[in-house]
Amino acid sequence: MNATQSSLGFIPESHTDFIFSAYAEEWGFIGCVLLLSLYLFITLRALWLACHCHHAYSRLVCGSLALSFFLYALSTLGWLADCCQSWEVHCHFSVMVAPR
């Protein structure tokens, strides 16, 4: 694809911290909507599982997984949109490690 911002070095660390910017540049609006809907689906599915668990420990594990996944996505998208400060928290599921 013809991405100029990430390939020409205008986005610092585009393969780790700014992966959503590079993804948005490559895939456009529809790709971003699909990725955000996937994050929402995974979060809601984990909350649904937490509500239907019979044991308290299982509820805590599913609920904490949903909360951490949601907060990682929210904090990463928040500081990319310049709505909040960077908290040194990154979306672990969207970070791709690439050799330099």
Side-chain angles (χ1 to χ4, degrees):
M1 295 193 175
N2 296 326
T4 58
Q5 300 297 311
S6 58
S7 64
L8 293 178
F10 292 112
I11 299 175
E13 303 297 328
S14 63
H15 62 281
T16 57
D17 297 342
F18 294 91
I19 189 70
F20 189 76
S21 299
Y23 179 83
E25 185 179 17
E26 293 286 335
W27 292 97
F29 180 72
I30 299 298
C32 291
V33 168
L34 288 175
L35 183 67
L36 292 177
S37 62
L38 179 67
Y39 276 131
L40 182 65
F41 173 75
I42 292 172
T43 302
L44 292 177
R45 179 68 178 165
L47 285 175
W48 182 84
L49 285 172
C51 290
H52 287 85
C53 287
H54 297 293
H55 303 295
Y57 180 75
S58 301
R59 265 185 249 129
L60 286 174
V61 169
C62 289
S64 62
L65 176 69
L67 180 65
S68 67
F69 192 78
F70 175 73
L71 288 178
Y72 287 149
L74 182 70
S75 66
T76 301
L77 295 175
W79 65 266
L80 281 176
D82 205 21
C83 296
C84 61
Q85 293 179 342
S86 176
W87 297 330
E88 297 296 325
V89 175
H90 306 288
C91 255
H92 298 295
F93 298 108
S94 66
V95 172
M96 181 178 67
V97 178
R100 290 184 184 208

